[in-house]
Every structure is written in structure tokens, then in C-alpha cells.
Amino acid sequence: MSNKNYVFEEAKESLSSILFNGDSDRTEAGFFDGSVESWNDEDMIDGAKWVDRLVSEMTKAINIDDMRRRVAVILEALESIIKKNTNASKKLEYASMKESLQSLINDNQILKRVIANQHQRSSENEEKAKQVLHLRGVVGQYQEQVHKLELSNYAMKLHLQRSQQQQTSFSGNLPPDIY
């Protein structure tokens, strides 16, 4: 793998080409038959287990060609598990993104309702502010009228008092038989 700069596909192709250039029809006793028992198990996610199984398979190899064949099968199994795990992680990521999107959509709808309520309250407050301004103007007019009426009342009161004073001053100075 170091000659291929750790590129998995190139290493696999290189091993496959080496695998089929040798004695392909060789059938010695104990020679590798192309199967590695349970390399696609779900418990093979752990890297340490891969290393243990790889070492185990390499110790079973009879010769270099057998070892190459075993490595090729192991790499194919590894590729298969990586693809499976990648697909599973993509599905989980997609589900997570879908859930996040749904959450954002729900939050957006809530915010829209909040904004609509806020706008309605703002409109109501503006209407109330207009009513308050109008009522202040009316109150100001009424206060002016009350002030004028108070002045008029005061003037009438003074006029009444003067007229009563004049009446009493006339009634006391007039002879009693005039009335």
C-alpha cells in the first residue's frame, strides 16, 4: 500500500493483478479457496478486530500467492463494510438533516404566528394611541369650555353680589312706605 500512496482502490487492483498472474490453477492441500470466514460480520466495525482477523488469516497462508489471495478477499470485505457503514452514516445524516429541517420549518411557522400577533398588537396599539390623542384633544376642548364657564359663572356671581349689595343698600335707604 505504501507504493500506491495508501490509495485503497489502486492497492486493491494491484493485489488483484498479482493474484491472477500467478498459478491460478494450483490446488494444493490447504491452499486458499477464496473465502474468508465471516469477514462481513457486523461486529467487524472495530479496527482491532480487523487486525486480529488479518493476522489470523495471514498465519494460515501457505505461500505468498495464498497470502495475496487472502489479502485481496480481506480488502474486498473491508471495502464492502466501509461502503455499508458509509451508506448507513449517510442515511443517519440524511435523517438527522431531515429532522432538523422539519424542526426549522416548525420554528419558522411559530415565528410567523408570533410576528402576525405582534403586528396585530402593534396595529391595535397604534389605533389606541390615535384614540388617546383624539380624547386628549376633546378633553382639552372640554377643559377650555369648563374654564370659560367658570369665568362666566364667576362673573355672574360677582354681578349677582353687586346687584344684591345695591338692592340691600337701596332697601335700607328707602322709606318703608314706598313698598
Side-chain angles (χ1 to χ4, degrees):
M1 284 186 66
S2 63
N3 290 342
K4 297 296 181 181
N5 293 326
Y6 296 100
V7 177
F8 182 75
E9 288 295 324
E10 291 178 9
K12 183 178 151 188
E13 289 174 17
S14 173
L15 285 172
S16 293
S17 68
I18 293 171
L19 174 69
F20 295 114
N21 287 339
D23 299 332
S24 61
D25 56 355
R26 199 171 157 195
T27 57
E28 293 180 15
F31 188 72
F32 182 61
D33 62 356
S35 67
V36 177
E37 64 270 352
S38 67
W39 275 94
N40 290 322
D41 286 350
E42 292 297 322
D43 65 335
M44 291 303 294
I45 295 173
D46 185 22
K49 289 181 182 178
W50 272 97
V51 170
D52 292 341
R53 296 285 282 287
L54 180 62
V55 169
S56 171
E57 287 300 321
M58 292 303 106
T59 57
K60 292 178 187 175
I62 296 171
N63 57 25
I64 295 294
D65 289 336
D66 186 26
M67 189 178 292
R68 286 182 183 144
R69 285 185 180 92
R70 288 176 187 267
V71 169
V73 169
I74 291 168
L75 289 176
E76 286 175 9
L78 179 62
E79 178 185 24
S80 170
I81 287 179
I82 288 172
K83 283 181 182 179
K84 234 190 269 182
N85 289 341
T86 301
N87 288 340
S89 68
K90 283 183 182 179
K91 285 180 182 177
L92 286 173
E93 183 180 353
Y94 175 75
S96 172
M97 290 174 84
K98 188 174 179 181
E99 186 177 311
S100 295
L101 178 63
Q102 188 61 42
S103 174
L104 289 173
I105 288 171
N106 291 340
D107 290 348
N108 190 23
Q109 289 174 348
I110 291 169
L111 287 174
K112 282 181 180 180
R113 280 186 261 156
V114 167
I115 289 172
N117 287 340
Q118 227 22 49
H119 180 69
Q120 182 181 3
R121 287 181 185 164
S122 176
S123 297
E124 289 172 359
N125 286 341
E126 287 176 8
E127 185 64 34
K128 287 179 182 178
K130 287 179 184 177
Q131 288 177 353
V132 166
L133 285 176
H134 174 69
L135 291 175
R136 282 184 183 168
V138 170
V139 166
Q141 290 174 354
Y142 285 145
Q143 284 176 342
E144 239 179 80
Q145 285 180 353
V146 166
H147 184 66
K148 284 180 185 177
L149 289 172
E150 284 176 346
L151 287 177
S152 176
N153 192 17
Y154 182 71
M156 290 171 103
K157 187 177 177 182
L158 284 178
H159 184 63
L160 183 63
Q161 282 177 353
R162 281 186 194 157
S163 74
Q164 283 178 349
Q165 281 178 356
Q166 285 175 355
Q167 226 178 21
T168 56
S169 67
F170 287 128
S171 62
N173 295 338
L174 292 176
D177 55 336
I178 295 179
Y179 289 102

